Amino acid sequence: MNCKLRRLDLLRNGQKSDCELHVWHPDKAKEGKRCPCIFRCHQVMLISASAEFERLIRDPEFQKNKRVLSVEDASSTAYEALLLYIYTYEKILPVATQVLKDNSFLKLSVKELKALMIILKQDGILSDHELLTSLKNYQEVNNLRYENMEHFQQFVEVTQLFGHVLFEVDGTMVLREADKPSPEE
């Protein structure tokens, strides 16, 4: 069995897993309740893929929580795609890029948008200018301004992936000249 298939099998079957990733989401059967989608994972795979996973795993709370990482910053589907990428190095980038290009990302929650931007920014296939332009489009379509403060604050957190992003008085994101690619790019 080739390495990629072996790693995929380890993820799907949870064989020799040494931690769990719990992605919390609303339970449709029990209104107002939340339940985890549980992924049985391997610390070495998570640490090798992400400094953020390494930070969470090295945190003393990880051991206190019986090697469980709990997250709520994106959907279980987004984390499943991320884990598939971590274990196989396939699938997520073409899907993530297509989601941006076909504008289906406009329907994502702000938390899902953040996960998508992290993936696309790390990969570097698209320029920061293209990603920031997409964020500006997302803001306009989803009317994320000061009057919708909770979601606006979450949106501002997403823009911080790109350093210092400016906003107009009404909360509209500004694309600066410095964010635009040079003519040779």
Side-chain angles (χ1 to χ4, degrees):
M1 180 183 287
N2 78 34
C3 292
K4 206 178 287 189
L5 292 175
R6 173 85 173 118
R7 288 189 305 265
L8 182 60
D9 191 50
L10 287 172
L11 175 63
R12 294 201 190 260
N13 295 324
Q15 292 176 312
K16 301 180 184 181
S17 65
D18 57 1
C19 66
E20 290 183 353
L21 176 63
H22 293 195
V23 181
W24 290 87
H25 58 90
D27 185 341
K28 292 177 182 165
K30 299 175 185 172
E31 195 170 313
K33 300 281 183 178
R34 298 182 59 71
C35 63
C37 180
I38 299 171
F39 299 98
R40 293 175 34 209
C41 303
H42 305 83
Q43 293 177 48
V44 69
M45 295 298 290
L46 299 178
I47 288 171
S48 70
S50 162
E52 181 62 15
F53 276 131
E54 181 175 12
R55 185 189 68 73
L56 292 170
I57 288 170
R58 302 258 186 255
D59 189 311
E61 288 298 310
F62 176 69
Q63 292 299 327
K64 287 181 190 173
N65 292 332
K66 300 179 181 174
R67 297 183 186 176
V68 171
L69 297 172
S70 291
V71 295
E72 297 184 39
D73 62 350
S75 70
S76 57
T77 305
Y79 271 98
E80 182 176 21
L82 177 61
L83 289 171
L84 281 170
Y85 176 69
I86 289 170
Y87 278 76
T88 67
Y89 305 109
E90 286 186 353
K91 297 188 181 195
I92 194 167
L93 287 175
V95 171
T97 304
Q98 183 59 38
V99 163
L100 200 68
K101 292 197 182 287
D102 70 10
N103 286 331
S104 60
F105 79 99
L106 296 171
K107 297 176 186 169
L108 296 175
S109 71
V110 179
K111 290 178 179 181
E112 292 167 332
L113 175 71
K114 182 177 182 180
L116 176 67
M117 288 296 149
I118 288 170
I119 291 163
L120 292 171
K121 182 158 177 55
Q122 277 185 330
D123 180 63
I125 288 177
L126 300 173
S127 70
D128 281 2
H129 176 70
E130 291 172 296
L131 296 174
L132 286 166
T133 300
S134 296
L135 285 176
K136 185 168 177 55
N137 188 19
Y138 181 90
Q139 181 186 33
E140 290 170 9
V141 168
N142 291 284
N143 196 28
L144 295 175
R145 305 283 188 290
Y146 292 126
E147 60 268 7
N148 186 354
M149 188 51 79
E150 180 184 346
H151 290 108
F152 179 72
Q153 286 176 325
Q154 291 173 350
F155 178 75
V156 170
E157 286 178 30
V158 176
T159 67
Q160 290 172 350
L161 295 169
F162 300 90
H164 186 68
V165 174
L166 301 175
F167 292 87
E168 297 283 352
V169 175
D170 69 348
T172 302
M173 189 177 132
V174 175
L175 288 178
R176 302 174 301 161
E177 287 300 315
D179 298 326
K180 295 180 181 173
S182 60
E184 55 273 352
E185 287 183 45

